[in-house]
């Protein structure tokens, strides 16, 4: 190991020596780029993507180009701009000022809603998604960590944290704005059809951003709509593309016009200057026989010596390795197994080597940990391809039957459903038991229910339906999830719910009992508890002296006051009939299996109003769980084996 490190360091030093002979760094300089577009025409250096065009009548960029619904487009300056010094990680300073107009499409009386954004993106090929994404992001194609945008949004999307339909947002690698400004308080209405002007000033050295907004034709306002410290360096590459994006939603038509644009950036860099060894010293003058011969040993000689020594070291290393015994190179020590070298079909789960998993999680580093419990530790990982994944490493003490677990993981990995988190693969090498999942950007449901923000009712209803669809599909495939709870439900960038984090790990006793007695029936029971948590916005376990959530729900049902369980933080926008029906579905799922508990296919039909709901018992059944406490299984939901 020491020899390998020495060889690696020697190689790096040799390359550094070679490079140092080629160029030297000079003084720090400023690299300035200036763009000026008093108007636009098709012959300018503007790349149009998606639904965007340059009007030959108004000489403005139009997004969308026609009277289109649910469309998106981008208009970018054709060449990349240097916005980050990679040596110092200092972002460039820049000023972007542009005039824009947001108005209804000609001849249309539809509500004016949509949005426009000034964007800084990593490529000139991607078109962002329409609707509430404003053409900024494309969760299927784009490196979302490298996107900066200032949005001018005229549609309220509560799921993205929008305060109203007239706001400016600052987006850093996410569709959810880092900061949102209600511009109504500044007397500005973005979609009033007037021409507005925006000034976006960023000081890269101080990492300070200012945004001004006012009518076109005036000087910069005295008061900014936003000013504050903001570090853009994590969201920038050295070279980025700048421009605009916009979109419209369903049943809404709106045209965003950019009529003029000035942009100036100043980035820092080091001037590359010639080395001290000038070319003149290498020129031999033919008619000057007495010209002095340089006494300095040529740099090429040093390079030649370094390369020869490096080759000798490599040959010695290969010779020593060939003398080692074959046992030191067993199949278990090969970094990439033969199975992993075989090409895999797209989206098909496969076996990973421990080296691949370790590299993706930076050696299972603490900074990569997403969560942990007594049975496992969960990490965020990134493979060399740039793909983000979730790596769940199980404790060896919790895996009593590894062969059975491998079989179960492979069975679940074969299925694909829009509401199930896909399993990328597994690793059962070197006493490790690891399952690799797709990474879902918005995190788990429990953080949204019990942490930051308030999920609106429409989002919660969709979560319940999505999870029900996922469980119904699993049960149809004769599989069970075995770990249904808010922390096992994940939200993607569109807030679609995906069920993941399967309950694979069980002791031998629990395993046999689970297979013979519980399996899919407990999934239904746990789904009922999840429904109560989603509607009420509170956890299943209570504080000392208070009723558990299930006890409280049945008590309110008995007194015909189920409406009191609905989360009041959602405000008056809740549909009370929907909320009560969903609560009743949740309670029905907690009935005894032989006393009315439905299967998940029936639950889906209840939630979609495709099947009439049977009446719930007037009072809570004596035993909600059909198994005796003498068997070691719980008689209520609070001690389910997968909590």
């Amino acid at each position: 190991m020491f020899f390998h490190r020495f060889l690696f360091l020697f190689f790096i030093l040799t390359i550094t020596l070679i490079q140092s002979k080629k160029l030297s760094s000079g003084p720090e300089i400023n690299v300035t780029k200036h763009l000026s577009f008093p108007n636009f025409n098709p012959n300018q250096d503007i790349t149009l993507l998606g639904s965007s065009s340059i009007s030959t009548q108004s000489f403005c960029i139009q997004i969308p180009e026609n009277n289109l619904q649910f469309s998106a487009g981008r208009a970018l300056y054709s060449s990349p701009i240097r916005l980050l010094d990679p040596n110092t990680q200092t972002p460039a300073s820049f000023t972007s000022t542009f005039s824009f107009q947001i108005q209804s499409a000609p001849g249309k009386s539809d509500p004016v809603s949509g949005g426009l954004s000034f964007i800084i993106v990593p490529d000139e090929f991607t078109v962002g998604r329409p609707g509430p994404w404003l053409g900024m992001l494309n969760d299927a194609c784009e490196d979302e960590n490298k996107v900066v945008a200032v949005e001018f949004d005229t549609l309220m999307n509560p799921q993205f944290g929008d305060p109203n339909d007239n706001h400016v947002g600052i987006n850093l690698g996410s569709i959810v704005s880092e900061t949102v400004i209600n511009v109504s308080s500044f007397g500005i209405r973005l979609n009033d059809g007037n021409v507005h002007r925006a000034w976006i000033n960023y000081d890269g050295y101080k990492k300070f951003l200012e945004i001004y907004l006012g009518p076109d034709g005036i000087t910069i306002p005295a008061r900014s709509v936003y000013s504050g410290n903001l570090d853009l360096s994590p969201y920038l590459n050295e070279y980025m593309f700048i421009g605009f994006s916009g979109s419209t939603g369903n049943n809404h038509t709106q045209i965003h016009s950019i009529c003029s644009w000035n942009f100036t950036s100043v980035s820092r860099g080091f001037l590359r200057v010639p080395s001290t060894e000038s070319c003149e010293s290498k020129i031999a003058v033919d008619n000057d026989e007495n010209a002095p011969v340089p006494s300095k040993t040529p740099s090429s000689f040093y390079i030649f010596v370094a390369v020869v020594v490096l080759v000798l070291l490599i040959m010695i290393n290969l010779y020593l390795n060939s003398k080692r015994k074959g046992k030191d190179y067993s199949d278990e020590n090969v970094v990439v197994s033969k199975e992993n070298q075989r090409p895999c079909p797209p989206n098909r789960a496969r076996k990973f080597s421990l080296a691949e998993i370790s590299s993706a999680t930076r050696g299972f580093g603490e900074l990569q940990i997403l969560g942990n419990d007594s049975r496992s530790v969960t990490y965020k990982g990134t493979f060399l391809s740039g793909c983000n994944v979730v790596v769940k490493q199980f404790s060896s003490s919790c895996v009593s039957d590894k062969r059975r677990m491998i079989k179960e993981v492979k069975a679940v990995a074969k299925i694909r459903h829009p509401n199930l988190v896909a399993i990328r693969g597994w690793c059962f090498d070197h006493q490790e038991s690891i399952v690799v999942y797709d990474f879902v950007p918005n995190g788990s449901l429990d953080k949204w229910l019990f942490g930051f923000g308030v999920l609106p009712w429409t989002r919660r209803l969709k979560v319940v339906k999505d999870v029900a669809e996922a469980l119904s599909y699993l049960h149809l495939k004769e599989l069970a999830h075995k770990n249904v709870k808010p922390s096992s439900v994940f939200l993607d960038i569109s807030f679609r719910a995906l069920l993941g984090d399967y309950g694979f790990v069980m002791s031998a006793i629990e395993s046999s009992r689970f297979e013979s007695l519980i399996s899919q029936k407990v999934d239904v029971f746990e789904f009922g508890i999840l429904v109560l948590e989603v509607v009420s916005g509170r956890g299943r376990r209570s504080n000392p002296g208070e009723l558990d959530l299930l006890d409280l729900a049945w008590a309110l049902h008995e007194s015909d006051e189920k409406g009191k369980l609905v989360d009041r933080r959602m405000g008056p926008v809740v549909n009370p009939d929907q909320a009560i029906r969903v609560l009743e579905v949740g309670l029905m799922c907690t009935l005894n299996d032989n006393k009315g508990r439905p299967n998940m296919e029936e639950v889906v039909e209840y939630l979609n109003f495709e099947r009439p709901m049977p009446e719930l018992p007037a009072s809570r059944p004596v035993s909600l769980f059909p198994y005796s406490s003498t068997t070691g299984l719980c008689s209520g939901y609070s001690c389910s084996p997968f909590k």
Side-chain angles (χ1 to χ4, degrees):
M1 181 62 70
F2 175 79
F3 181 79
H4 290 163
R5 291 181 179 178
F6 173 78
L7 186 63
F8 176 75
L9 290 175
F10 184 83
F11 179 74
I12 294 298
L13 289 174
T14 303
I15 296 301
T16 303
L17 175 64
I18 296 172
Q19 293 297 329
S20 66
K21 293 295 181 180
K22 293 182 178 179
L23 54 87
S24 300
S25 294
E28 187 177 14
I29 62 170
N30 289 330
V31 181
T32 302
K33 181 71 175 181
H34 178 69
L35 309 178
S36 180
F37 297 97
N39 52 46
F40 296 92
N41 63 69
N43 298 321
Q44 292 170 327
D45 294 331
I46 298 293
T47 300
L48 300 173
L49 304 173
S51 181
S52 62
S53 65
I54 295 178
S55 171
T56 56
Q57 297 179 347
S58 63
F59 300 102
C60 297
I61 296 173
Q62 290 188 350
I63 307 175
E65 58 179 320
N66 295 311
N67 179 22
L68 300 175
Q69 298 178 2
F70 205 67
S71 61
R74 284 184 179 180
L76 304 175
Y77 180 63
S78 299
S79 301
I81 305 294
R82 190 175 189 269
L83 291 178
L84 182 71
D85 179 10
N87 296 319
T88 63
Q89 289 297 302
T90 301
S93 298
F94 63 84
T95 297
S96 180
T97 176
F98 52 92
S99 60
F100 67 95
Q101 183 183 40
I102 302 177
Q103 59 183 344
S104 297
K108 292 290 181 179
S109 60
D110 297 335
V112 180
S113 62
L116 172 73
S117 299
F118 169 74
I119 55 174
I120 302 174
V121 293
D123 67 74
E124 76 278 34
F125 306 113
T126 302
V127 179
R129 295 179 64 179
W133 283 267
L134 306 185
M136 287 189 298
L137 293 173
N138 186 331
D139 61 312
C141 307
E142 194 163 7
D143 180 1
E144 296 166 7
N145 291 325
K146 300 294 184 180
V147 174
V148 176
V150 177
E151 65 176 45
F152 301 84
D153 198 351
T154 61
L155 181 62
M156 181 178 177
N157 294 284
Q159 66 271 31
F160 295 153
D162 294 347
N164 61 9
D165 60 352
N166 189 47
H167 63 273
V168 171
I170 302 170
N171 298 64
L172 303 177
S174 172
I175 190 60
V176 180
S177 299
E178 184 84 6
T179 303
V180 182
I181 305 100
N182 179 7
V183 295
S184 299
S185 59
F186 294 86
I188 298 170
R189 187 69 190 176
L190 296 172
N191 60 0
D192 57 6
N194 295 325
V195 179
H196 302 278
R197 178 165 290 275
W199 293 262
I200 303 172
N201 302 327
Y202 184 68
D203 188 324
Y205 181 74
K206 297 181 180 178
K207 296 179 174 59
F208 190 82
L209 177 69
E210 293 179 305
I211 301 175
Y212 296 85
L213 192 60
D216 188 35
I218 67 169
T219 58
I220 187 169
R223 181 187 175 194
S224 64
V225 298
Y226 172 82
S227 62
N229 295 316
L230 194 65
D231 185 7
L232 298 184
S233 58
Y235 309 96
L236 298 175
N237 296 325
E238 181 177 5
Y239 287 92
M240 303 284 284
F241 289 85
I242 59 172
F244 303 90
S245 69
S247 71
T248 57
N250 289 324
N251 304 320
H252 300 296
T253 53
Q254 176 173 294
I255 292 179
H256 314 91
S257 301
I258 302 96
C259 299
S260 65
W261 181 30
N262 290 322
F263 179 88
T264 301
S265 66
V266 179
S267 61
R268 300 189 176 192
F270 290 94
L271 183 65
R272 294 178 177 177
V273 299
S275 66
T276 55
E277 186 181 73
S278 66
C279 296
E280 184 179 356
S281 65
K282 296 183 179 298
I283 299 176
V285 181
D286 293 338
N287 59 5
D288 188 0
E289 296 179 356
N290 298 321
V293 178
S295 60
K296 184 177 179 181
T297 304
S299 61
S300 58
F301 175 76
Y302 290 118
I303 296 173
F304 173 77
V305 172
V307 171
V308 169
V309 173
L310 180 61
V311 170
L312 287 174
L313 289 173
I314 292 175
M315 292 178 66
I316 293 172
N317 184 42
L318 292 174
Y319 174 77
L320 293 176
N321 287 342
S322 65
K323 304 296 288 183
R324 292 181 183 179
K325 294 182 179 181
K327 64 180 181 180
D328 294 333
Y329 286 88
S330 62
D331 291 340
E332 293 182 355
N333 290 330
V334 177
V335 174
V336 181
S337 66
K338 294 181 179 178
E339 180 180 346
N340 289 340
Q341 293 175 352
R342 292 198 302 267
C344 292
N347 298 323
R348 182 174 179 180
R350 67 176 179 88
K351 178 183 178 181
F352 290 98
S353 70
L354 187 58
E356 289 178 287
I357 301 295
S358 180
S359 173
T361 58
R362 299 182 182 179
F364 298 97
E366 291 186 4
L367 295 178
Q368 302 298 110
I369 294 178
L370 298 175
N372 60 78
D373 54 34
S374 60
R375 299 187 175 208
S376 62
V377 182
T378 304
Y379 301 86
K380 181 179 179 181
T382 304
F383 289 120
L384 294 178
S385 63
C387 175
N388 292 324
V389 294
V390 173
V391 175
K392 187 160 187 176
Q393 182 184 36
F394 293 96
S395 171
S396 58
S397 62
C398 293
V399 183
S400 59
D401 190 347
K402 183 175 290 189
R403 181 177 298 180
R404 181 179 176 276
M405 181 178 176
I406 294 173
K407 182 178 179 181
E408 191 173 6
V409 170
K410 289 183 177 181
V412 176
K414 291 179 180 178
I415 64 174
R416 290 291 184 269
H417 187 271
N419 299 117
L420 289 173
V421 180
I423 293 180
R424 288 271 179 157
W426 55 86
C427 175
F428 292 99
D429 292 339
H430 303 274
Q431 306 302 315
E432 293 287 352
S433 299
I434 297 172
V435 178
V436 182
Y437 294 92
D438 273 345
F439 178 77
V440 186
N442 274 336
S444 56
L445 176 63
D446 58 328
K447 293 181 175 61
W448 290 88
L449 280 180
F450 315 129
F452 51 84
V454 179
L455 277 179
W457 169 246
T458 54
R459 286 286 133 201
R460 300 193 194 202
L461 179 60
K462 188 174 186 304
V463 165
V464 170
K465 290 182 177 181
D466 288 347
V467 176
E469 292 278 1
L471 284 174
S472 178
Y473 183 79
L474 270 177
H475 293 181
L476 181 65
K477 297 295 182 180
E478 298 183 354
L479 297 169
H481 186 272
K482 310 175 186 177
N483 194 27
V484 181
K485 56 184 179 181
S487 61
S488 299
V489 178
F490 301 89
L491 303 177
D492 69 4
I493 194 170
S494 63
F495 280 77
R496 177 184 59 183
L498 289 84
L499 187 60
D501 193 15
Y502 297 86
F504 294 120
V505 182
M506 297 161 290
S507 71
I509 297 178
E510 287 175 335
S511 174
S512 61
R513 288 177 179 169
F514 198 99
E515 288 297 319
S516 61
L517 300 175
I518 307 178
S519 62
Q520 298 178 3
K521 299 176 182 178
V522 159
D523 277 355
V524 179
F525 185 90
E526 294 295 324
F527 174 77
I529 305 302
L530 175 70
V531 168
L532 301 181
E533 292 179 283
V534 170
V535 177
S536 66
R538 56 180 287 176
R540 57 185 66 188
R541 292 184 176 86
S542 64
N543 296 322
E546 296 180 356
L547 290 175
D548 285 345
L549 179 59
L550 185 57
D551 296 332
L552 177 62
W554 275 105
L556 292 175
H557 167 69
E558 292 172 1
S559 61
D560 198 20
E561 296 177 309
K562 289 188 291 291
K564 292 183 178 180
L565 196 64
V566 179
D567 191 351
R568 296 183 179 181
R569 296 177 301 165
M570 292 187 289
V573 296
V574 179
N575 184 319
D577 293 334
Q578 285 181 341
I580 295 300
R581 184 181 181 92
V582 172
L583 280 174
E584 290 177 345
V585 171
L587 290 174
M588 186 177 299
C589 291
T590 65
L591 292 172
N592 290 351
D593 181 50
N594 57 350
K595 298 293 185 181
R597 185 186 304 178
N599 59 44
M600 287 310 303
E601 185 178 359
E602 294 171 333
V603 168
V604 171
E605 294 175 345
Y606 293 148
L607 292 172
N608 292 327
F609 292 84
E610 298 172 354
R611 176 191 287 252
M613 281 275 295
E615 289 189 13
L616 284 169
S619 59
R620 178 179 180 176
V622 175
S623 173
L624 286 179
F625 220 79
Y627 311 114
S628 170
S629 59
T630 59
T631 66
L633 295 174
C634 52
S635 59
Y637 78 95
S638 60
C639 55
S640 173
F642 290 97
K643 288 294 170 291

